[in-house]
């Protein structure tokens, strides 16, 4: 079981780490370019990320569906699900692009305190918006390959995308080799180009190079009939958007402390997102192995694999806690040389390292429930715990509690830790309920029809 899990986990961790490294590269380069441009990207990212993560989350529905049918010897049904994914990605992606262009700039103008930050964040949104359908399509292809147990090519795409993004960023942000110096606008253009290239690589490889192609035929009528995928994916999309939206709302709330606080928050978000990447991979692996175990072994096979994944997760978050606690003063200098921004980020990192454990638990059990196609309960749990506890508690601690002057914006991150702890408890309990429901049963995939 450990070999089965690690065979999927290592390439997926590397893939997601490389994908997220694109954002880290943006943050590092912009941090050394201009503190206000760093703040502008932090603000713009906090606005579009919940929308983008909903698109990513919707395609999560492919994982349990594809896994079950491939192991149930019905590979042709994969064409139906991928056709749905393409239709869904295009329709929702275009709608998301319109929101980013016509709605979110008004929020950016309202929240930024410096005129330069305001203008740059709006420009960033305008440039990046057309790439949102490609974000959904890329994730759909990646989920398809990983669900089929072939994580190698997504790793290659992520590696190539990161290398190109570093080059594009260097050229466009700083204006090298005769290109104009664009700052944050150059980072937006570089990220957009990377997404288009990634989708092109997936399509060309699976269509013309792959000896055992996974997506062999586009079924046009299913590009308009995506109710099956939407039924599984929409709650997962909302849950993912809620989680990222919570971190984004942290950025909106701390904007009242000034644009330098925005820069510090962006550093913390970038660093913690980097640490969160292996946990996201654990969630995806959990969904795959749970769906596979239920189709072959039943509940007992699921329990054994969950125990192995939890032990791996505990080892990982313990290492993250120790590193962050020891080097919290040095880590922010990777992203910025501004002393005030670094000091703000260092204080928050001490707090953020303490909620790594509940964060790991909630991601693993979210994936486990997704393997059972139970995504609606995760969505409700995210909404209740994160927006019902995290934000109200954080706002009270930062503004109205007896310790508000001392805590300042750190109070928001204490509230975040409390919300994640509650979320982990809810999801663990829900998982036990679902397991009892399937006790002694198996999901009969061979006769399940799309």
């Amino acid at each position: 079981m450990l070999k089965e899990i690690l065979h999927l986990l290592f390439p997926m961790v590397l893939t997601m780490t490389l994908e997220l490294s694109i954002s880290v590269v943006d943050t590092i380069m912009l941090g050394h370019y201009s503190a206000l441009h760093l703040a502008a990207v932090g603000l713009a990212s906090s606005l579009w990320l919940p929308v983008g993560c909903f698109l990513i989350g919707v395609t999560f529905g492919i994982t349990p569906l594809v896994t079950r049918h491939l192991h149930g010897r019905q590979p042709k049904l994969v064409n139906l699900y991928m056709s749905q994914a393409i239709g869904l990605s295009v329709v929702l992606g275009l709608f998301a692009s319109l929101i980013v262009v016509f709605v979110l700039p008004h929020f950016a103008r309202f929240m930024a305190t410096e005129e330069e930050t305001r203008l740059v964040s709006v420009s960033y949104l305008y440039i990046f918006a057309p790439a949102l359908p490609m974000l959904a399509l890329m994730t759909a292809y990646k989920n398809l390959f990983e669900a089929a147990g072939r994580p190698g090519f997504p790793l290659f795409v992520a590696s190539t995308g990161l290398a190109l993004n570093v080059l594009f960023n260097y050229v466009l942000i700083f204006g090298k080799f005769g290109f104009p110096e664009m700052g944050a606008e150059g980072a937006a253009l570089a990220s957009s180009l990377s997404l288009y290239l990634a989708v092109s690589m997936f399509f060309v490889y699976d269509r013309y190079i792959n000896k055992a192609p996974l997506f062999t035929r586009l079924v046009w009528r299913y590009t308009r009939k995506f109710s099956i995928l939407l039924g599984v994916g929409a709650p997962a999309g909302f849950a993912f958007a809620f989680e990222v939206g919570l971190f984004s709302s942290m950025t909106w709330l701390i904007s009242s402390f000034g644009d330098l606080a925005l820069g510090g928050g962006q550093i913390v978000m970038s660093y913690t997102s980097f640490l969160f990447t292996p946990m996201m991979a654990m969630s995806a692996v959990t969904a795959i192995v749970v769906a596979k175990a239920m189709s072959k072994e039943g509940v007992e096979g699921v329990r054994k694999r969950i125990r192995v994944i939890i032990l791996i997760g505990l080892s990982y978050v313990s290492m993250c806690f120790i590193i962050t606690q020891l080097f919290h003063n040095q880590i922010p200098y990777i992203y910025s040389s501004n002393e005030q921004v670094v000091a703000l980020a260092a204080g928050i990192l001490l707090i953020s390292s303490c909620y790594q454990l509940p964060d790991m638990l909630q991601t693993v059990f979210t994936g486990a429930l997704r393997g059972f196609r139970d995504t609606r309960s995760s969505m409700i749990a995210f909404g209740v715990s994160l927006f019902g506890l995290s934000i109200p508690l954080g706002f009270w601690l930062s503004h109205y509690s007896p310790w508000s002057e001392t805590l300042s914006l750190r109070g928001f991150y204490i509230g975040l830790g409390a919300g994640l702890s509650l979320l982990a408890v809810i999801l663990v309990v829900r998982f036990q309920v679902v397991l009892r429901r399937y006790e002694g049963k198996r999901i009969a995939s061979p006769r399940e029809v799309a």
Side-chain angles (χ1 to χ4, degrees), residues 126 206 230:
Y126 285 157
D206 198 40
L230 191 62

Side-chain angles (χ1 to χ4, degrees), residues 57 69 308 327 373 398:
H69 287 298
V308 173
F327 301 105
R373 300 194 196 181
S398 292

Side-chain angles (χ1 to χ4, degrees), residues 16-188:
M16 291 187 178
T17 301
L18 290 169
E19 289 172 349
L20 190 68
S21 295
I22 292 176
S23 172
V24 175
V25 167
D26 289 352
T27 302
I28 292 173
M29 288 190 172
L30 288 169
H32 291 282
Y33 177 78
S34 165
L36 290 180
H37 277 242
L38 175 64
V41 171
L43 178 58
S45 298
S46 72
L47 291 169
W48 76 259
L49 267 175
V51 178
C53 287
F54 174 75
L55 295 177
I56 293 172
V58 167
T59 64
F60 284 170
I62 285 181
T63 302
L65 296 172
V66 167
T67 302
R68 193 160 302 157
H69 287 298
L70 283 175
H71 292 285
R73 300 298 185 266
Q74 289 181 302
K76 290 184 179 180
L77 291 178
V78 172
N79 289 331
L80 305 187
Y81 293 127
M82 276 302 291
S83 299
Q84 291 184 41
I86 288 176
L88 197 59
S89 298
V90 172
V91 171
L92 292 182
L94 290 175
F95 183 67
S97 298
L98 293 174
I99 292 175
V100 171
V101 169
F102 293 106
V103 178
L104 298 187
H106 297 292
F107 290 95
R109 294 186 187 100
F110 174 74
M111 288 186 284
T113 56
E114 298 285 342
E115 182 63 23
E116 183 180 358
T117 305
R118 189 177 297 116
L119 293 174
V120 172
S121 61
V122 171
S123 297
Y124 186 98
L125 291 171
Y126 285 157
I127 293 171
F128 188 74
L132 284 172
M134 296 300 106
L135 177 65
L137 282 172
M138 183 197 72
T139 310
Y141 263 115
K142 183 171 75 73
N143 289 340
L144 171 65
F145 275 79
E146 291 172 348
R150 304 186 199 174
F153 188 70
L155 177 58
F156 172 76
V157 172
S159 305
T160 307
L162 176 61
L164 291 174
N165 188 259
V166 170
L167 175 62
F168 295 157
N169 266 336
Y170 179 70
V171 169
L172 297 174
I173 291 175
F174 298 100
K176 303 295 182 179
F177 307 117
F179 284 86
E181 183 180 325
M182 299 176 68
E185 295 170 352

Side-chain angles (χ1 to χ4, degrees), residues 150-275:
R150 304 186 199 174
F153 188 70
L155 177 58
F156 172 76
V157 172
S159 305
T160 307
L162 176 61
L164 291 174
N165 188 259
V166 170
L167 175 62
F168 295 157
N169 266 336
Y170 179 70
V171 169
L172 297 174
I173 291 175
F174 298 100
K176 303 295 182 179
F177 307 117
F179 284 86
E181 183 180 325
M182 299 176 68
E185 295 170 352
L189 185 57
S191 297
S192 299
L193 289 172
S194 298
L195 287 173
Y196 279 98
L197 286 171
V199 173
S200 301
M201 290 171 68
F202 272 118
F203 174 77
V204 170
Y205 173 77
D206 198 40
R207 188 67 182 269
Y208 301 107
I209 302 173
N210 193 2
K211 294 181 180 178
L214 296 171
F215 180 31
T216 57
R217 185 169 67 92
L218 181 66
V219 186
W220 281 102
R221 69 178 182 275
Y222 277 93
T223 60
R224 301 185 300 275
K225 298 177 180 179
F226 36 69
S227 57
I228 298 172
L229 179 60
L230 191 62
V232 179
F238 277 116
F240 194 27
F242 285 162
E243 182 174 13
V244 176
L246 177 69
F247 283 92
S248 297
S249 63
M250 291 291 174
T251 304
W252 308 336
L253 291 168
I254 66 177
S255 64
S256 60
F257 292 94
D259 283 2
L260 291 180
L262 271 176
Q266 175 63 12
I267 288 174
V268 173
M269 186 172 182
S270 179
Y271 175 73
T272 54
S273 297
F274 191 79
L275 297 185

Side-chain angles (χ1 to χ4, degrees), residues 291-329:
K292 183 178 176 181
M294 278 303 299
S295 67
K296 291 188 171 185
E297 301 175 38
V299 168
E300 191 54 39
V302 172
R303 284 202 177 99
K304 291 176 181 177
R305 285 160 178 80
I306 289 292
R307 283 195 287 267
V308 173
I309 293 173
I310 291 294
L311 287 174
I312 294 172
L314 284 173
S315 303
Y316 173 71
V317 295
S318 299
M319 181 181 65
C320 292
F321 176 81
I322 293 170
I323 290 173
T324 307
Q325 288 286 324
L326 289 176
F327 301 105
H328 67 280
N329 286 318

